[in-house]
Amino acid sequence: MKNILVPTDFSETANRAADIAIAIAEKSGAEIHFLHLQITPVPWVKLDKEKEQRFPETLKEIGHAKSELNKLVNKAETKGLKGKQFLVFDVGREEILKHIPFHHHDFVIMGSHGASGAKEMFIGSNAQKVLRDATVPVLIIKEKSKWPVKNVVFASNFEEDVKEPFKTVVKFADLNESNIHLLYVNVPFSFEETDRSLEKMHAFHETCPRGGTCTTNIYNSLNEERGILKFSESVNADLIALTTHGRSGFFNLIGKSITENLANHADIPILSINLNR
């Protein structure tokens, strides 16, 4: 990764995501950009300075946003990183997706409050949108997320089209020499015999030459999300990695909804990699 985007609303969860993003940028040598979307009661960019004074509360919010963005950039720069800040007015959540190609970001890190938190806030609804449509890897951080990560669960169908995006998972894990646990969840409506699953996983395992461990695992469950969560708990996972838009078998068609559900319900970070990028 060379250019990390960190959307933020300055909440505790967003600040945790910013701290982890800085730590990752230190390891990878990436540039880091902080983006805040400022909602205003009127089209702010069309107002002159005199008319802006009619909205003192909005001016106060803008001043706070600028101050917090400055703090984040300064924090990154004290670590020897190159940081930039962006304050954008009067736009919807699509702005994050537009920002990615325009500024050549190759990785997004953002917080999510999950289903039990204020999910209609910036960090909730926007995380869902970015997970669904981003063409670059997205790392969703929770308030109590740990860094560095020691155990990564990679849940997949282990078909041929997953091998290339899996390289991103390996590179990410190698930043901390994390263990990778390859996981196939066998479910009733998409049952696969064990020997077939093991055959694919063993072939996949050959693409995982690294310093840390890389285990192969099959878990039987009523559904994919439940299986991923239960297995991750059993190995004390610090992160769950998935690919979305799978074309066959495990994660067929519903891959995006599984990823979004995990982002809502898991207590650990979710790394999502779009197969169609």
Side-chain angles (χ1 to χ4, degrees):
M1 62 191 75
K2 297 180 180 179
N3 193 324
I4 299 172
L5 174 64
V6 186
T8 179
D9 64 355
F10 315 119
S11 62
E12 288 187 18
T13 307
N15 289 337
R16 181 61 184 148
D19 287 341
I20 290 175
I22 290 172
I24 292 172
E26 277 190 275
K27 287 278 189 177
S28 62
E31 185 173 323
I32 187 166
H33 294 184
F34 300 97
L35 169 68
H36 179 69
L37 308 184
Q38 182 70 44
I39 306 301
T40 59
V42 294
W44 197 257
V45 294
K46 297 180 179 179
L47 297 184
D48 57 35
K49 294 296 182 182
E50 182 178 346
K51 291 181 180 179
E52 287 180 1
Q53 300 305 315
R54 301 175 186 174
F55 303 92
E57 287 301 316
T58 302
L59 284 172
K60 182 178 179 181
E61 291 173 0
I62 292 172
H64 173 73
K66 289 179 177 179
S67 175
E68 292 302 306
L69 285 170
N70 278 328
K71 289 178 184 177
L72 291 173
V73 170
N74 289 338
K75 184 180 288 189
E77 290 179 343
T78 59
K79 300 293 185 178
L81 302 172
K82 183 178 180 180
K84 292 183 180 180
Q85 58 181 284
F86 297 88
L87 178 60
V88 186
F89 300 98
D90 311 323
V91 293
R93 63 191 69 168
E94 293 80 8
E95 179 63 25
I96 301 174
L97 296 170
K98 294 177 182 176
H99 203 85
I100 293 170
F102 190 81
H103 291 278
H104 308 292
H105 298 297
D106 57 3
F107 207 87
V108 177
I109 301 175
M110 63 190 301
S112 176
H113 298 298
S116 60
K119 67 177 181 179
E120 294 307 316
M121 294 173 63
F122 172 88
I123 280 300
S125 57
N126 281 279
Q128 297 291 327
K129 177 67 176 176
V130 173
L131 266 179
R132 192 176 303 122
D133 298 325
T135 56
V136 300
V138 179
L139 177 63
I140 299 295
I141 297 297
K142 301 303 184 70
E143 185 176 344
K144 297 180 180 180
S145 294
K146 298 178 181 179
W147 180 265
V149 294
K150 293 303 179 186
N151 287 291
V152 176
V153 170
F154 179 64
S156 176
N157 59 5
F158 302 100
E159 299 290 349
E160 188 68 26
D161 59 353
V162 181
K163 288 185 178 180
E164 189 62 30
F166 178 63
K167 293 178 182 178
T168 298
V169 178
V170 173
K171 290 178 182 178
F172 187 84
D174 282 349
L175 290 175
N176 303 286
E177 297 185 1
S178 308
N179 302 318
I180 297 178
H181 303 280
L182 304 180
L183 172 65
Y184 181 85
V185 179
N186 214 3
V187 295
F189 65 84
S190 184
F191 179 79
E192 184 173 87
E193 293 186 349
T194 299
D195 58 349
R196 172 58 180 155
S197 300
L198 287 174
E199 180 185 355
K200 291 190 299 183
M201 294 181 76
H202 289 157
F204 209 87
H205 191 275
E206 295 178 3
T207 68
C208 194
R210 51 194 310 278
T213 61
C214 195
T215 68
T216 56
N217 307 271
I218 298 175
Y219 195 95
N220 298 318
S221 183
L222 292 176
N223 60 67
E224 292 95 337
E225 181 186 339
R226 179 182 175 88
I228 293 168
L229 289 174
K230 282 188 165 292
F231 176 80
S232 297
E233 183 179 356
S234 73
V235 295
N236 296 316
D238 304 303
L239 181 141
I240 297 169
L242 311 122
T243 54
T244 60
H245 298 201
R247 294 194 292 273
S248 61
F250 188 42
F251 294 151
N252 180 31
L253 298 180
I254 59 174
K256 288 185 288 186
S257 64
I258 291 174
T259 304
E260 291 173 37
N261 287 340
L262 285 169
N264 270 334
H265 301 140
D267 294 325
I268 58 178
I270 303 294
L271 174 61
S272 173
I273 304 167
N274 192 326
L275 285 177
N276 297 332
R277 56 179 174 159

